Amino acid sequence: MKINYIKFNILFLLVMLVFACKRDDIKSENVPMGKVMVFNGVVGSGSLKVSVSPHDKYWSSISDNMSLYNKGSMVFIAPVGGNIVKATQLTDTTKMLYRSKIEVQENSFYSLYLTGTSTDIDTLFRKEENIPKVPPIDVRKKLTAQDSIIYIRFTNLSYNGPKVNINIRNSINREVNNLGYKESTDFKTYSASSNAPIVFEVRSAVDNSLLMTYGFNAMYFRFRTVEVVIAGSINPDVSFSDRYGVEVIPLL
């Protein structure tokens, strides 16, 4: 009996191994995939537990590492077809903050921005089709200032903030003009050849009053395409993480 029991266990393990291999096959490079970037700009939410999956997963099956702090982002790999995006507070998974279904196409990149407040979630979702790619660098040649560039796009996701103008400090020229809520600029090329940060001044488009300044060190993002997202509440009484500010999201 003991020998038969051992044989049965071995056979069971072999079957499970074959099944596991087949399951791994589903997740292999043979399955067409896309990418979904999720950004957490929700005021009052704290860290969010997020899932992007073709399955309606239980929260207990989602690792706490799959969480987004406020003004943070994460890129999820998703199979082609319908995927369910879910978000809840990390500290209280009994309250669903957001749930929606999205369609993912092969080799496509999508951006899903969560904004608004924890009691009134707002979203911006788009398929990214015009992200510029920095030309490949010939490593055999010495880099010049013209080689060291970065592409930047600005997005306004402050649900209660004004339309904004953005200029570089000590420059009368505007980089951004009258950018409203859930609006984005086109990508613009900037030099990344200096260690000195580019100091952007974010101003109200109503009266040109200074809302905030942000020192962007382009050297940290050389040869990249990035997005500068304005998010948070203009109300100074909110918690520190929810205050009006910016986050830089590398896209490519």
Side-chain angles (χ1 to χ4, degrees):
M1 290 291 293
K2 188 174 182 181
I3 294 175
N4 289 336
Y5 179 74
I6 293 173
K7 288 182 178 178
F8 174 79
N9 280 344
I10 293 174
L11 179 61
F12 176 77
L13 290 174
L14 287 173
V15 170
M16 290 301 293
L17 181 60
V18 171
F19 179 73
C21 290
K22 288 184 178 180
R23 287 183 60 87
D24 286 343
D25 235 16
I26 296 175
K27 300 178 182 179
S28 73
E29 62 274 7
N30 297 325
V31 177
M33 295 285 184
K35 295 181 180 179
V36 182
M37 185 279 294
V38 181
F39 173 80
N40 174 18
V42 181
V43 171
S45 71
S47 293
L48 294 182
K49 200 169 187 179
V50 178
S51 169
V52 180
S53 170
H55 309 294
D56 199 352
K57 290 186 175 182
Y58 291 105
W59 291 118
S60 58
S61 67
I62 303 172
S63 169
D64 286 351
N65 292 332
M66 304 300 287
S67 61
L68 301 180
Y69 59 89
N70 191 267
K71 299 192 188 75
S73 64
M74 184 182 297
V75 175
F76 295 82
I77 306 298
V80 166
N83 283 264
I84 298 172
V85 182
K86 297 168 60 176
T88 187
Q89 287 181 314
L90 180 62
T91 56
D92 186 2
T93 57
T94 64
K95 296 179 181 179
M96 182 80 71
L97 294 181
Y98 178 79
R99 186 183 186 280
S100 183
K101 189 173 182 179
I102 61 172
E103 291 292 327
V104 173
Q105 296 178 348
E106 186 174 0
N107 297 324
S108 295
F109 184 75
Y110 302 84
S111 294
L112 173 62
Y113 307 86
L114 304 179
T115 181
T117 68
S118 58
T119 56
D120 188 16
I121 294 285
D122 199 3
T123 62
L124 172 63
F125 179 70
R126 62 184 167 209
K127 181 181 179 182
E128 301 288 5
E129 297 182 296
N130 299 304
I131 300 179
K133 295 182 179 179
V134 178
I137 302 299
D138 188 343
V139 295
R140 296 169 298 178
K141 297 181 180 179
K142 183 178 180 181
L143 293 179
T144 66
Q146 288 73 29
D147 294 322
S148 190
I149 62 172
I150 183 174
Y151 293 107
I152 300 177
R153 175 177 73 188
F154 295 88
T155 298
N156 184 358
L157 287 182
S158 176
Y159 76 99
N160 64 353
K163 291 185 176 182
V164 298
N165 301 327
I166 301 176
N167 64 277
I168 296 176
R169 178 179 287 173
N170 300 324
S171 173
I172 61 174
N173 298 319
R174 288 179 181 173
E175 304 300 304
V176 176
N177 187 51
N178 212 37
L179 186 67
Y181 176 55
K182 295 204 295 186
E183 292 182 349
S184 298
T185 66
D186 294 330
F187 287 96
K188 185 176 179 179
T189 306
Y190 291 85
S191 172
S193 60
S194 172
N195 280 318
I198 304 171
V199 181
F200 292 110
E201 295 182 338
V202 181
R203 297 179 176 273
S204 169
V206 178
D207 57 10
N208 207 41
S209 59
L210 183 64
L211 300 174
M212 67 176 172
T213 59
Y214 179 70
F216 180 87
N217 195 324
M219 283 284 286
Y220 294 158
F221 300 94
R222 294 171 71 193
F223 320 120
R224 301 292 300 273
T225 299
V226 302
E227 181 171 25
V228 175
V229 177
I230 301 167
S233 174
I234 202 71
N235 183 352
D237 297 329
V238 297
S239 64
F240 180 79
S241 63
D242 288 326
R243 291 177 188 171
Y244 198 73
V246 303
E247 181 70 17
V248 177
I249 303 174
L251 296 176
L252 287 178

